[in-house]
Amino acid sequence: MLVDDLLGKPELALETRVRGNTQRPIRWVHTIEVRAPGRFLRGGEVVLTAGVWRAAGVTARDFVADLVEADVAAVGFGPVPPELQVPDEFVDAAREHGLTCFVVPVDVAFLQVVEAFVSTKRAEWERPLRRHLGQHDAIVAALRVQRGVDTVLRTLSGQLGLPVAVRVDGGLVEGEEPRPQYPLPLVGEGLAEAELLLPRPLEELDVEQQAAVVQAMPFIALEIERNRAVRATELRYAWELFEWVHTGAVGPETVRTRLHSLGLPPDGPLAAVVVRSANPDVDAVRLGELLGSDGVAVQRGGEAVAFARVRDTTAALARRVHEALGAHIGAGKPGTAGDLRVSLLQASHAAEAVSGRSDGGWMTHEQLSSPSLLLSAQDPELLVSTSRALLGPVLDHDERRGGDLLPSLWVFLDAGCRWQESAQRLHVHINTLRHRMSRVEELTGRSLSSTADRVDLFLALRALRQS
């Protein structure tokens, strides 16, 4: 695909500001918002930017010069509302270097530009295959109506008169799983674990059926690669979005722009969903597939997290995710782009609240009533520092003497300061527990008979456990 081909896509309505060498082939379409972007580029890319790098003090001249040094093919600027015009210095810098520069309309998501490129590349990959006859033509005709692995499998199944399916990484992806099944490895970049499942060995099929399978396999591989390419771009955008929301590192307008790029409405209603399970990487993929165009999902640490459009109620959304994934589900309050950080904290707290259930469960922000949610909104380093200021002597005592003061204090407070129940849970004599709590009072200078002191100790313990 040439730069001129991309600029000519009517559905994108790209506005050319500087026309350089538009006959250059495009290696890839890539969005980037960092200082010195050239280190992440290989040359020949079309770079998309919303100008977020200006917040870091990077000038348009330096940013464009670095792109030129990296030998990019073109650069596109997507204005971020309320700024609806491309900075003149950006266009001037592109003109100075003869770099093709265009404007992405506000109502066109960057992801649409990427998809247009991937779609065209897919057509390029298909051209050598169009020389094939019969089954090939049938598959091409079907894909023109609807793209996807399932389209190819339906066509192939009709040609064979047998059920077929595709399995990737050990899981069934598309199609009707045959019984028995004979796997046939698919050939393609990153497809080492992808297999076409046939009801009989390939060599036992007749010549026409074998030809149909051979014709279909490259198309299946291309569709998987296309889906992965779009998904990889979307995941990179989504992961940055979650980092921005979690850390508060960028302003709300930048978050709104990224939501728009991902096809989600910045004005909502959007809610955070957190899934805690033993396989967050798998559940992140399943959650993304479940939400479809109504959300984005990624893996963050030991959790799968998502921002999802709320079409009914938050409870209905949480219930739907739990029915599909099981595990422990938390859902935050729906709102606009500016409300997502609170929603994410609420969802994480709700998932933690149900994580003690062995059979999973779900909880929404409406079911949260504990003020301990306030701890989740604080800076982690500040929480640890404050907690250690109170509990430091107890921690030092346990480390030096191998003591059990801190675990005993947690059990005692968790049991509502009931001596007998706490002693039974700790499997110690009640006098031993009394001695330990007396020692805690001496080391902290707090009294366990004081409600205020008990609350301080509980919150400090809770903060240490969360950190």
Side-chain angles (χ1 to χ4, degrees), residues 241-256:
L241 172 64
F242 282 99
E243 287 299 303
W244 290 348
V245 170
H246 178 72
T247 62
V250 300
E253 288 305 322
T254 302
V255 174
R256 291 176 63 86

Side-chain angles (χ1 to χ4, degrees), residues 18 35 39 46 114 157 182 210 213 272 277 408 431:
V18 178
R35 184 191 299 271
R39 54 203 163 113
V46 169
V114 176
S157 180
Y182 296 87
Q210 290 187 29
V213 171
S277 68
S408 298
N431 289 338

Side-chain angles (χ1 to χ4, degrees), residues 60-254:
R61 178 179 293 273
D62 290 342
F63 187 83
V64 172
D66 201 63
L67 294 181
V68 173
E69 181 69 21
D71 193 31
V72 302
V75 62
F77 195 100
V80 179
E83 179 186 32
L84 300 179
Q85 300 297 325
V86 179
D88 291 337
E89 60 269 25
F90 187 87
V91 178
D92 291 341
R95 183 175 291 108
E96 179 182 341
H97 291 283
L99 176 65
T100 299
C101 175
F102 59 90
V103 179
V104 181
V106 174
D107 58 348
V108 175
F110 281 179
L111 193 60
Q112 290 177 248
V113 181
V114 176
E115 287 181 332
F117 166 76
V118 172
S119 178
T120 301
K121 290 297 291 183
R122 172 178 167 274
E124 292 176 5
W125 293 330
E126 288 179 356
R127 286 190 194 110
L129 301 175
R130 294 185 184 275
R131 294 187 298 268
H132 295 277
L133 302 174
Q135 301 91 350
H136 166 273
D137 291 338
I139 293 174
V140 171
L143 288 175
R144 284 173 177 166
V145 176
Q146 181 178 359
R147 296 183 304 186
V149 174
D150 191 52
T151 297
V152 183
L153 292 178
R154 284 199 305 269
T155 305
L156 177 60
S157 180
Q159 294 169 348
L160 298 179
L162 300 168
V164 292
V166 166
R167 181 170 60 201
V168 179
D169 297 327
L172 189 65
V173 176
E174 299 282 1
E176 180 184 354
E177 189 171 10
R179 296 291 183 186
Q181 54 188 230
Y182 296 87
L184 191 62
L186 290 167
V187 178
E189 183 177 353
L191 296 180
E193 300 300 324
E195 300 170 318
L196 174 64
L197 303 180
L198 301 173
R200 294 201 296 268
L202 181 63
E203 58 273 14
E204 292 185 9
L205 301 177
D206 62 37
V207 174
E208 186 175 344
Q209 289 176 321
Q210 290 187 29
V213 171
V214 172
Q215 296 285 357
M217 288 178 66
F219 284 100
I220 296 173
L222 285 171
E223 287 302 310
I224 293 175
E225 289 174 351
R226 183 186 67 83
N227 291 339
R228 285 181 172 178
V230 174
R231 176 65 176 165
T233 300
E234 186 180 62
L235 282 177
R236 183 169 65 251
Y237 290 176
W239 190 87
E240 288 180 344
L241 172 64
F242 282 99
E243 287 299 303
W244 290 348
V245 170
H246 178 72
T247 62
V250 300
E253 288 305 322
T254 302

Side-chain angles (χ1 to χ4, degrees), residues 11-70:
E11 67 272 18
L12 299 179
L14 303 177
E15 178 187 352
T16 305
R17 291 294 183 87
V18 178
R19 184 171 287 275
N21 180 9
T22 59
Q23 296 305 305
R24 289 193 61 180
I26 301 172
R27 177 195 293 273
W28 197 254
V29 177
H30 183 58
T31 183
I32 197 162
E33 302 287 359
V34 299
R35 184 191 299 271
R39 54 203 163 113
F40 300 109
L41 302 170
R42 297 171 58 190
E45 296 92 343
V46 169
V47 170
L48 303 177
T49 178
V52 176
W53 37 267
R54 291 178 293 176
V58 179
T59 66
R61 178 179 293 273
D62 290 342
F63 187 83
V64 172
D66 201 63
L67 294 181
V68 173
E69 181 69 21

